[in-house]
Amino acid sequence: MQKSTSLNGFLGSLQAINGLRALLGGYMLITDPSGKSLDLNVEWLQTTPFPNYLIPGIVLFLLMGVTNGWGMWLIFNRKENRAAFGTLVGLFLLAWIIAQVIWIGYKDFLQPLYFATGLLQTFFGLALTTRRKKI
């Protein structure tokens, strides 16, 4: 039981950090689609379908921010599907970073950092899922 409690705490904490950062970053991109407030260059989007950062900001806010917040709530309230949802949100984050690097290339140390946190979220979610099946 102690190991599950630790895994829940790690996963919930990652979701809280990633969710808050995504909500803030998404909000900043929605309110300033030029990306200047986050030191982003709109020219990076030339090889993407986006003329500015509005749509990526909305996706970041909803897909990364809201889902991580919801996942954190599921974890800390011990809801039934918290582990599977945590895994899914980790996979969303991995897909987000992979798509970002494919479309705009490597631009910032935050890309590998968030990729690593996505891997950790996926790992912790899978570990919790496996652990729950054994119990």
Side-chain angles (χ1 to χ4, degrees):
M1 187 67 167
Q2 179 63 29
K3 193 167 189 171
S4 288
T5 302
S6 296
L7 290 172
N8 277 307
F10 286 133
L11 180 56
S13 296
L14 280 172
Q15 290 175 321
I17 292 165
N18 287 337
L20 287 172
R21 298 253 333 166
L23 289 170
L24 178 61
Y27 174 78
M28 291 175 73
L29 292 175
I30 292 166
T31 58
D32 177 18
S34 73
K36 289 179 183 173
S37 61
L38 291 174
D39 290 327
L40 302 177
N41 188 334
V42 76
E43 292 168 357
W44 295 346
L45 297 175
Q46 287 179 341
T47 58
T48 75
F50 310 111
N52 59 39
Y53 288 100
L54 178 62
I55 299 301
I58 293 169
V59 173
L60 178 63
F61 187 89
L62 295 174
L63 186 65
M64 295 292 97
V66 172
T67 58
N68 269 297
W70 181 251
M72 178 194 69
W73 184 87
L74 291 172
I75 287 288
F76 292 129
N77 287 286
R78 301 231 177 251
K79 297 299 180 183
E80 185 68 28
N81 294 323
R82 65 189 180 271
F85 193 79
T87 303
L88 183 64
V89 173
L91 292 171
F92 285 166
L93 182 51
L94 293 173
W96 173 266
I97 297 298
I98 290 168
Q100 190 181 91
V101 171
I102 288 171
W103 275 350
I104 68 169
Y106 174 77
K107 301 294 182 193
D108 192 84
F109 78 95
L110 291 175
Q111 290 166 312
L113 176 67
Y114 285 123
F115 189 84
T117 62
L119 280 175
L120 287 172
Q121 281 185 239
T122 304
F123 171 77
F124 290 141
L126 288 172
L128 279 169
T129 301
T130 304
R131 189 143 182 84
R132 287 180 51 82
K133 287 181 181 177
K134 288 181 181 177
I135 295 176

